[in-house]
Amino acid sequence: MRRTRPDAHQHLTTQAIELSMAAPQVVAQRLTRMAFAGVNPSQKDHDELMLMGSEKLLAFQQSWMAMWTQAWHSQMELAESLTRGSLALASGSAANDDHPAQVLMQVPEAAARVLSAGLAPVHDQAMSNARRLSALAG
């Protein structure tokens, strides 16, 4: 298995924190806009409401695809490393990095990369919406 990024958990944490700040901001701005629009929303308000639904569907699909792709790559890397390590162990030439137990210690990093890949489309959309809606409100 190739060396994992040492900051996979940190990147995931940063994404989660940014998302936890951007999402409520977007919700508040959209709810305020809906409240001011009342029962007769303008075309811009209607477009924003339609965007709310369509962007969620797209981000959900992108998220699942990104997680599937990252999980597949991680599984292939793990299988390759375990095979290489097992062969090295059987031949008596296994270094510490090639030992199957050492390879399995990298699974939490791989899981963090899968989660981060899945969160990325949602995070990116929420951050983009927060910037866009803040500019419209300001």
Side-chain angles (χ1 to χ4, degrees):
M1 184 178 228
R2 72 178 179 206
R3 283 285 170 201
T4 59
R5 285 183 16 207
D7 61 339
H9 289 94
Q10 182 180 358
H11 182 66
L12 178 60
T13 301
T14 301
Q15 281 179 308
I17 290 169
E18 289 177 350
L19 182 59
S20 72
M21 292 187 304
Q25 178 184 352
V26 170
V27 169
Q29 290 171 337
R30 284 180 167 164
L31 285 175
T32 301
R33 186 173 186 159
M34 288 166 54
F36 281 126
V39 294
N40 294 318
S42 69
Q43 185 60 44
K44 285 179 75 173
D45 293 329
H46 185 267
D47 292 346
E48 185 67 30
L49 294 172
M50 295 302 292
L51 182 63
M52 285 179 4
S54 63
E55 70 187 12
K56 285 173 182 54
L57 293 174
L58 179 61
F60 181 78
Q61 185 272 334
Q62 290 172 334
S63 179
W64 275 104
M65 191 63 186
M67 286 193 310
W68 183 90
T69 301
Q70 183 60 50
W72 186 82
H73 285 293
S74 294
Q75 290 172 0
M76 293 299 106
E77 291 172 2
L78 180 61
E80 178 186 342
S81 293
L82 286 173
T83 301
R84 189 176 51 250
S86 296
L87 292 174
L89 193 61
S91 69
S93 64
N96 280 345
D97 289 347
D98 289 334
H99 196 280
Q102 187 65 29
V103 171
L104 291 176
M105 297 297 290
Q106 298 173 11
V107 170
E109 284 289 318
R113 287 194 313 273
V114 170
L115 291 173
S116 182
L119 195 56
V122 177
H123 169 269
D124 294 347
Q125 187 64 55
M127 297 300 289
S128 174
N129 283 341
R131 284 188 299 272
R132 180 177 57 80
L133 292 170
S134 290
L136 290 176

